[in-house]
Amino acid sequence: KPTETAVEFIHYRYYSSKTTDSTMCAALILRPLSAEGLSKEGGDTGPQFVPLFEKNELKNLMRGASGGSNFLKINALYNQKLLYDLIWKPLEPMLTGIKTVYFAPSGLLHRLNLAAIPTPEGHVYGERRQLVVLGSTRQLVVPNNSNQTSTNDAYLVGGIRYDSNSTIIAYANQDASLRGLELPSTLAFQPDSFSITRGGVLDYLPATAVEVRDIAQTLGSVGIQAKVDTGYYATEEAFRQLGVKSPSPRIVHLATHGYFFPDPIVSSTRQLALSSEPIFKMSEHPMIRSGLIMAGAKQAWLTGKHPEGHEDGILTAYEISQMNLSGTELVVLSACETGLGDIVGNEGVYGLQRAFKIAGAKYLVMSLWKVDDRSTRAFMTAFYRHWLTEKQSVPQAFRSTQREMRKAYPSAYDWAGFVLIE
């Protein structure tokens, strides 16, 4: 449309007379076209190339803040004037009169919330223009029409118990009717009913049980039936049944830990050590090295050994990509680092983002760092209220929530960690 522009970010190895070790980042901008198929200014209708920065310039700014839990460094990053100078300032001459920017990130830009970048006038860029994140700008000309929501239900997961209890997990898998909202309250929503060894990715998230309970009530108030799995009942088996015998739920909300392991650097000195590591930590496949942690995953996470009689509780991105979620309008990953994944060439992010796209989901809300579970609960509650109660579209509801959270929590760490991807 006349007030819209598409931006495909790219990165490439710089070459002059010979190959160098410098990786450059740039943008390809496709501007609005007239009815005659020409650009508004006339002339070439092809994308225009705008050089941006050398990769290490951004990498140095992001050091210690990307995908971490150091809120001081994250807040410092999103107070950096240089972020605007590197990414948006070079594009501004091409964006005069533009209200909506569709863009597909590349490389390190996948690890940033580009709407949260501060502008010189003291606002954030998402207030200047409406930003729509895509996996590829190709989506604008080859839309995904397969998402025909035929259900009005939801599947919610939170308050997960990660330690191993094979008896309860086996019982949960045998009798699915006892899971979720129909569970006795001692299993469903009382966080102290079972003990768990704390530490690292296996920390119990007490606010997530309350989070999914509040969301279930919000959904129920607008006529959406929600099934909730908590505690030991939030199993990998339960999740992988979605879309098998009936259309997948309209909404899938997973409040749990996510994980991401970078590409292992295998050398002769490390080969023996790596061979003893669990496959999800050292696999060559990046969609196995990212995923979500479900009930009873402690044993496999710490030892790499597969528990007898049921899945290991580590739901990899690869396993998700093999599911059929074509009936799902929205997937919310209310977890840690769910937006991360390996960056391979110009192929974007391999990980949970790619997995849910392949599975057929339309919108994804994912996190870029280890978001505090209390501010996460506030974010998610506000988002569903704007979307379902106030009847805003998913993108509008997301933007409204970010504005509301920014007022309540001025720290970027609290409000900028989630991104919406179409």
Side-chain angles (χ1 to χ4, degrees):
K1 296 179 181 180
T3 58
E4 298 178 339
T5 285
V7 178
E8 184 86 25
F9 289 101
I10 61 171
H11 63 279
Y12 58 94
R13 182 64 59 85
Y14 177 72
Y15 180 89
S16 56
S17 59
K18 60 181 180 180
T19 302
T20 70
D21 61 357
S22 294
T23 297
M24 307 301 296
C25 297
L28 294 168
I29 302 182
L30 190 64
R31 307 188 71 188
L33 304 180
S34 71
E36 290 76 26
L38 299 175
S39 65
K40 294 176 69 175
E41 293 77 12
D44 188 3
T45 60
Q48 294 185 255
F49 179 89
V50 179
L52 296 177
F53 53 86
E54 205 277 329
K55 174 183 174 181
N56 284 333
E57 293 181 81
L58 182 58
K59 186 176 181 180
N60 291 335
L61 282 180
M62 296 173 64
R63 195 175 305 279
S66 175
S69 57
N70 190 321
F71 69 93
L72 292 177
K73 290 186 176 181
I74 290 172
N75 288 333
L77 172 66
Y78 284 91
N79 284 323
Q80 283 276 6
K81 179 182 179 295
L82 275 176
L83 272 183
Y84 174 81
D85 292 343
L86 289 178
I87 299 168
W88 289 119
K89 185 177 180 179
L91 304 181
E92 279 302 303
M94 308 285 293
L95 299 178
T96 302
I98 297 300
K99 296 180 180 179
T100 301
V101 177
Y102 298 93
F103 74 94
S106 175
L108 290 174
L109 296 182
H110 280 289
R111 286 159 162 73
L112 284 175
N113 183 339
L114 298 193
I117 291 177
T119 60
E121 57 268 23
H123 302 297
V124 293
Y125 200 80
E127 295 176 353
R128 179 182 292 185
R129 291 185 176 87
Q130 177 180 323
L131 301 181
V132 181
V133 189
L134 305 172
S136 167
T137 51
R138 177 181 183 272
Q139 293 170 228
L140 296 174
V141 291
V142 188
N144 180 7
N145 295 320
S146 63
N147 294 87
Q148 302 295 328
T149 303
S150 57
T151 63
N152 196 33
D153 60 346
Y155 178 69
L156 314 179
V157 166
I160 296 179
R161 291 295 174 181
Y162 303 106
D163 54 325
S164 300
N165 191 317
S166 57
T167 301
I168 295 180
I169 291 175
Y171 181 66
N173 288 330
Q174 288 175 1
D175 195 347
S177 66
L178 293 179
R179 293 198 302 269
L181 291 176
E182 298 170 0
L183 279 176
S185 61
T186 53
L187 289 177
F189 295 118
Q190 290 189 11
D192 297 324
S193 54
F194 295 99
S195 63
I196 183 170
T197 302
R198 302 184 65 84
V201 77
L202 296 178
D203 279 355
Y204 178 74
L205 300 173
T208 62
V210 183
E211 176 185 328
V212 294
R213 180 180 62 191
D214 291 348
I215 291 170
Q217 293 173 346
T218 300
L219 297 179
S221 68
V222 293
I224 297 177
Q225 182 178 2
K227 178 181 180 182
V228 182
D229 276 344
T230 63
Y232 290 107
Y233 289 77
T235 63
E236 180 181 350
E237 287 92 337
F239 179 80
R240 291 174 66 179
Q241 286 301 306
L242 301 182
V244 173
K245 295 182 180 180
S246 59
S248 59
R250 179 186 177 191
I251 301 166
V252 174
H253 184 107
L254 302 169
T256 183
H257 286 291
Y259 73 90
F260 159 67
F261 290 100
D263 189 7
I265 303 173
V266 181
S267 64
S268 56
T269 57
R270 292 194 64 213
Q271 187 68 46
L272 184 61
L274 283 173
S275 64
S276 62
E277 291 282 352
I279 185 67
F280 54 85
K281 293 184 180 181
M282 49 74 68
S283 172
E284 294 182 359
H285 199 310
M287 291 183 73
I288 292 178
R289 296 196 310 274
S290 59
L292 299 169
I293 309 299
M294 306 299 285
K298 177 182 176 181
Q299 177 183 346
W301 185 262
L302 297 180
T303 68
K305 296 180 179 179
H306 193 284
E308 293 185 10
H310 58 85
E311 298 284 354
D312 58 14
I314 299 171
L315 181 63
T316 68
Y318 177 78
E319 290 171 322
I320 294 169
S321 72
Q322 303 303 300
M323 296 175 63
N324 178 9
L325 299 178
S326 59
T328 300
E329 181 178 2
L330 174 70
V331 173
V332 176
L333 302 181
S334 178
C336 302
E337 302 181 339
T338 49
L340 300 185
D342 263 15
I343 296 172
V344 183
N346 282 321
E347 291 299 312
V349 170
Y350 281 81
L352 290 165
Q353 178 184 145
R354 177 66 59 89
F356 280 101
K357 178 178 176 60
I358 293 172
K362 184 175 182 180
Y363 291 104
L364 294 88
V365 174
M366 310 196 331
S367 58
L368 296 174
W369 54 73
K370 298 176 181 177
V371 183
D372 176 80
D373 61 355
R374 288 172 178 81
S375 55
T376 295
R377 177 189 168 197
F379 188 102
M380 294 303 166
T381 302
F383 169 72
Y384 282 105
R385 184 182 73 251
H386 289 306
W387 177 34
L388 299 172
T389 304
E390 300 174 10
K391 305 299 182 183
Q392 298 182 15
S393 68
V394 170
Q396 288 173 331
F398 188 80
R399 288 189 292 272
S400 296
T401 302
Q402 287 200 316
R403 285 194 296 269
E404 183 178 317
M405 289 291 292
R406 188 168 177 243
K407 292 179 181 178
Y409 301 88
S411 163
Y413 171 78
D414 288 309
W415 72 268
F418 288 101
V419 292
L420 173 69
I421 301 168
E422 184 173 337

